[in-house]
Amino acid sequence: MKLNQNQIISHWYSSPSSPVYTKGFRLPPSATKSNISAYLNLFRKFNNRITIHRDLFVIIYGLNAHFMGGVEDDEPPSKRVKASFREPKGLSNGSFLKEPASCSLMARPLASQGDDEIIGSQGIKKVEFVRIIADALYSLGYSKTGACLEEESGITFHSPTVSTFIQQILDGDWDGSLASLHKMGIVDESIIKSASFIILQQKFFELLDHEKLMEALKTLRTEISPLSINSNRVRELSFFILCPKSRITDGISGQQMVKPKARSELLEELRRMFPPTVMIPDRRLLQLVEQALDLQREACLFHNSDVGETSLFTDHHCGRDQIPSQTVQILLEHQDEVWYLQFSQNGKYLASSSSDNSAIIWEVDLDGKVSFKHRLIGHQKPVSSISWSPDDHQILTCGVEEVVRRWDVSSGECVHVYEKGLLGLISCSWSPDGKCVFSGLTDKSIIIWDLDGKEIECLKGQKTIKISDLQITSDGKLIITICKETMILLTDRESKSERCIEEEQMIVSFTLSKDNKYLLVSLVNEELHLWSIEGHIRLVAKFKGHKRSRFIVRACFGGLEQAFIASGSEDSQVYIWHRGSGELIETLGGHSGAVNCISWNPMNPHMLASASDDRSIRIWGLKQLSAKQKGKAKLAFNNGNHYCNGATI
């Protein structure tokens, strides 16, 4: 049976739910009476004739110009769009919902969406791969291209039921959306209940916003309450009807609200709740790419800079030249062995202490040059430890079994001396708010003073031994000390509960990571142990290679995001490991005596300082670029010139 173009349109439109196929051409499900002629015009290039058989259009090849005189489509191609989601004006993440558009290319036959075709070497399902590409295209605003991908691949971005559900949410068709919710293939009833609660809560708020109190009350009684979930929230909603001017807290974000949220925000909230097979997580392809980049950086042994462009065209790789491994300055102001040193939190100062009974504050200028600022004199014994105040305006120094002194950084003056009768002090630290001073005593207790020296608390018992390591977590909750030769004690200040890290070997020193999640412990058997102290205490990694037999040797975290471990050594060298892999990546020579302590500038991953028995402090920076390299690249962190107490080396 031959039909003219209008008859074909009428026949199709009378049964729009029927699938419409052609050989080599498929009419999309969104084709309507107003735009089907645009698709049929594509047939002309085949010069075919068309018949009807059981509601399917079949192209029969042969010479026929039946449609050559048909009615022309008066709509330009740019107007031929699929029925689409409305574009919301306020998605929380700044993206837009997907707006499919028609594709002017010849479509291929619809592929089976149950097809488990695998691509690549990692067992990636083609259907999933195509869908996340479509998601990426829509999120970037390439709606027409996304629609073309759907049509050509035969793989739909969303199922028809999900598409209907999305439109119903955006239109505020709450009853329809609840009905669609049960048809979306979600197996977990708890998810369906929770989603229903969120949808009905939105309906409730919109009714209140339109001052339809009785309808809102009916929704609460007959729809929300029967779900029998989140009873506390139901009571809050009831109170809101009684007191319309009251502010109540949103159960998801914790923020106060009196008006319903944007429907696009509601849709994003539901998306996060649904299984990814139902609604793909927004910007999933971008997430996967970012995860791949993160993994590449973590695996890179020398990644130590966040400066520079990231390219997707090549795998990430950093050279060894990103690690500070060249002596750029030697500081020789101390008169005896240098035992301890530490950069300030802002990276602008370096403090060092020595067996010459003094401490020195050094200043780091913008070019990376370290210069002498103040010598702190007053201790009668060697100065064993240093602690910067949280704001870097003051500093504590502790003499060996002597007193703790507090100094003003700008003037170099001692502003207070802390002591406890005949007992000696062996360690010092600040509270995170800078209002209290902590110190370990020779009787193995820990004392806490206010800044004026008034004793606030004294923790009795075997809380510490004669090793000057005492640290407080940045939230002020944990006090960390070495309580026995092989044990570290973590004391909760609020509950007074205690947890322990027990080693098989004698502990030499420890340091706490910036994020308070890890402890790095140095042992007498020439090993460094990395412990996780967040939640259940567990040993994470071991680092080996440095030498230690007689002295206290200290290690530190450092580099970009503290991705490296550095340690002193009795063989006069500095050892650097990649924290993630445990691989030893650098051994720095230059000192002529045991290296006692290491400190990495927290604001400059390309600056490292080491203290030695040879009475010197070495500042380590990046190896200098050749003149040709300097012309091609500019370092993000300037090492400054090479100085030795003011003289270029």
Side-chain angles (χ1 to χ4, degrees):
M1 178 178 61
K2 294 176 57 177
L3 300 174
N4 63 34
Q5 186 165 338
N6 288 333
Q7 287 175 317
I8 293 174
I9 294 173
S10 298
H11 176 83
W12 176 86
Y13 196 70
S14 66
S15 182
S17 61
S18 301
V20 182
Y21 290 96
T22 68
K23 183 175 182 181
F25 187 90
R26 178 177 62 86
L27 289 176
S30 60
T32 64
K33 188 172 184 179
S34 63
N35 67 17
I36 189 174
S37 59
Y39 296 99
L40 295 176
N41 281 334
L42 295 173
F43 287 14
R44 294 178 181 175
K45 63 179 64 178
F46 290 105
N47 199 22
N48 299 325
R49 66 185 173 85
I50 297 178
T51 63
I52 291 181
H53 180 65
R54 295 182 182 176
D55 295 329
L56 297 179
F57 291 106
V58 182
I59 295 178
I60 301 178
Y61 290 93
L63 181 62
N64 190 312
H66 182 81
F67 286 111
M68 294 304 291
V71 179
E72 294 290 340
D73 182 11
D74 58 357
E75 284 189 310
S78 61
K79 299 282 187 180
R80 300 168 192 163
V81 296
K82 294 169 82 176
S84 62
F85 311 148
R86 294 177 186 171
E87 184 170 281
K89 297 182 179 180
L91 275 188
S92 59
N93 58 7
S95 65
F96 296 95
L97 288 173
K98 321 317 182 235
E99 182 183 349
S102 68
C103 176
S104 60
L105 299 174
M106 185 62 65
R108 296 180 180 177
L110 181 66
S112 171
Q113 298 214 20
D115 191 359
D116 290 332
E117 182 179 349
I118 300 299
I119 60 175
S121 60
Q122 302 299 318
I124 298 172
K125 293 182 179 180
K126 180 180 177 181
V127 169
E128 294 182 357
F129 190 67
V130 171
R131 288 183 69 193
I132 65 170
I133 292 175
D135 171 68
L137 291 171
Y138 287 130
S139 66
L140 291 170
Y142 303 137
S143 299
K144 292 182 180 179
T145 308
C148 285
L149 176 61
E150 288 190 61
E151 291 185 11
E152 187 169 358
S153 67
I155 299 172
T156 58
F157 177 58
H158 283 140
S159 69
T161 304
V162 172
S163 298
T164 300
F165 173 81
I166 291 172
Q167 194 61 56
Q168 289 168 334
I169 290 293
L170 295 176
D171 291 342
D173 180 2
W174 310 121
D175 293 340
S177 65
L178 291 174
S180 297
L181 178 63
H182 288 81
K183 301 175 183 178
M184 289 165 54
I186 301 175
V187 178
D188 192 337
E189 284 295 327
S190 63
I191 293 178
I192 294 177
K193 272 194 171 186
S194 298
S196 300
F197 188 95
I198 292 173
I199 293 170
L200 290 170
Q201 179 180 250
Q202 179 76 9
K203 176 183 178 181
F204 173 85
F205 278 127
E206 291 195 12
L207 289 172
L208 286 181
D209 194 46
H210 290 87
E211 299 183 354
K212 298 179 180 180
L213 294 181
M214 295 308 296
E215 291 184 41
L217 179 60
K218 181 180 178 181
T219 296
L220 182 62
R221 285 179 173 176
T222 63
E223 296 181 278
I224 297 178
S225 294
L227 292 174
S228 301
I229 60 172
N230 206 343
S231 57
N232 290 334
R233 182 62 170 162
V234 173
R235 283 193 290 270
E236 287 181 347
L237 299 179
S238 302
F239 178 75
F240 195 64
I241 289 181
L242 297 174
C243 305
K245 295 183 180 181
S246 299
R247 290 180 175 269
I248 61 175
T249 303
D250 176 56
I252 303 299
S253 66
Q255 297 178 346
Q256 288 187 328
M257 59 177 291
V258 291
K259 290 187 176 182
K261 62 178 64 178
R263 290 173 182 171
S264 57
E265 293 179 13
L266 171 66
L267 189 57
E268 286 304 308
E269 184 178 336
L270 291 167
R271 181 200 300 275
R272 291 190 294 270
M273 180 179 295
F274 293 155
T277 52
V278 174
M279 292 183 71
I280 301 172
D282 196 36
R283 299 173 183 264
R284 178 58 178 163
L285 182 58
L286 181 61
Q287 292 175 9
L288 291 174
V289 172
E290 290 176 340
Q291 288 173 15
L293 292 174
D294 288 341
L295 289 173
Q296 288 188 20
R297 293 190 190 102
E298 290 173 7
C300 178
L301 295 180
F302 307 108
H303 184 65
N304 196 31
S305 175
D306 56 4
V307 176
E309 295 182 357
T310 298
S311 174
L312 300 181
F313 298 145
T314 59
D315 289 343
H316 176 84
H317 175 72
C318 292
R320 190 180 294 270
D321 58 359
Q322 291 297 308
I323 306 300
S325 56
Q326 179 171 310
T327 299
V328 296
Q329 200 171 347
I330 302 176
L331 310 176
L332 298 171
E333 290 291 338
H334 280 294
Q335 306 304 311
D336 209 335
E337 299 169 351
V338 187
W339 287 1
Y340 197 95
L341 80 171
Q342 187 179 65
F343 280 103
S344 59
Q345 279 86 215
N346 60 18
K348 295 180 179 180
Y349 301 101
L350 174 68
S352 59
S353 66
S354 168
S355 60
D356 64 6
N357 299 354
S358 74
I360 295 177
I361 297 176
W362 310 84
E363 190 165 10
V364 183
D365 68 17
L366 295 177
D367 291 328
K369 179 184 176 182
V370 180
S371 58
F372 178 89
K373 184 174 179 64
H374 298 299
R375 187 184 298 276
L376 310 180
I377 299 176
H379 285 285
Q380 303 303 309
K381 293 184 178 181
V383 181
S384 59
S385 62
I386 295 167
S387 181
W388 287 93
S389 65
D391 60 7
D392 293 327
H393 292 164
Q394 298 183 85
I395 192 172
L396 298 175
T397 58
C398 182
V400 176
E401 299 185 19
E402 192 204 11
V403 298
V404 170
R405 290 178 175 268
R406 177 162 60 93
W407 310 80
D408 178 74
V409 172
S410 61
S411 67
E413 295 180 357
C414 180
V415 295
H416 199 85
V417 179
Y418 302 89
E419 50 190 335
K420 178 69 171 175
L422 299 177
L423 297 174
L425 278 59
I426 58 174
S427 57
C428 59
S429 188
W430 291 85
S431 63
D433 59 9
K435 296 180 179 180
C436 298
V437 172
F438 292 71
S439 181
L441 304 176
T442 51
D443 69 351
K444 302 180 180 179
S445 62
I446 296 173
I447 190 170
I448 306 172
W449 290 285
D450 65 13
L451 293 184
D452 296 327
K454 179 181 178 181
E455 184 177 323
I456 297 175
E457 187 178 2
C458 187
L459 305 178
K460 298 291 185 178
Q462 188 161 338
K463 304 298 182 183
T464 186
I465 59 175
K466 295 182 181 181
I467 295 179
S468 54
D469 284 338
L470 168 65
Q471 292 192 275
I472 318 297
T473 53
S474 59
D475 58 9
K477 293 181 178 180
L478 287 181
I479 302 174
I480 306 174
T481 59
I482 303 175
C483 63
K484 296 180 182 179
E485 289 185 342
T486 60
M487 185 179 294
I488 292 177
L489 182 67
L490 291 77
T491 304
D492 189 300
R493 292 185 63 192
E494 296 177 354
S495 66
K496 305 302 180 184
S497 61
E498 297 178 346
R499 295 184 295 158
C500 296
I501 294 176
E502 190 160 7
E503 294 278 10
E504 295 180 357
Q505 300 290 327
M506 185 182 297
I507 297 169
V508 176
S509 62
F510 73 83
T511 188
L512 178 66
S513 65
K514 186 177 181 179
D515 60 10
N516 301 316
K517 296 180 180 180
Y518 299 92
L519 272 185
L520 183 63
V521 182
S522 179
L523 304 173
V524 296
N525 66 340
E526 301 180 340
E527 287 186 1
L528 298 175
H529 287 184
L530 183 63
W531 290 87
S532 170
I533 62 172
E534 186 179 40
H536 177 68
I537 294 176
R538 58 189 176 88
L539 181 62
V540 175
K542 296 181 180 181
F543 306 89
K544 301 178 182 180
H546 65 297
K547 307 301 179 185
R548 198 223 73 87
S549 60
R550 297 178 296 163
F551 307 128
I552 293 178
V553 173
R554 300 183 183 279
C556 73
F557 296 92
L560 184 67
E561 298 179 354
Q562 295 197 326
F564 303 96
I565 300 293
S567 176
S569 177
E570 289 186 19
D571 63 0
S572 308
Q573 300 189 96
V574 176
Y575 288 76
I576 300 177
W577 295 266
H578 181 251
R579 178 174 162 183
S581 66
E583 183 171 340
L584 179 65
I585 59 174
E586 284 287 359
T587 303
L588 313 181
H591 284 289
S592 58
V595 180
N596 301 311
C597 188
I598 304 293
S599 183
W600 212 308
N601 191 319
M603 302 305 293
N604 184 349
H606 298 156
M607 177 179 278
L608 185 70
S610 58
S612 173
D613 280 354
D614 64 9
R615 303 184 180 186
S616 75
I617 297 170
R618 284 184 175 252
I619 306 300
W620 304 85
L622 301 185
K623 289 184 177 179
Q624 292 296 291
L625 298 175
S626 66
K628 184 177 181 180
Q629 288 173 314
K630 285 181 179 178
K632 293 182 178 180
K634 182 178 180 181
L635 294 178
F637 301 95
N638 196 333
N639 287 322
N641 297 318
H642 290 195
Y643 298 92
C644 179
N645 275 9
T648 304
I649 61 172

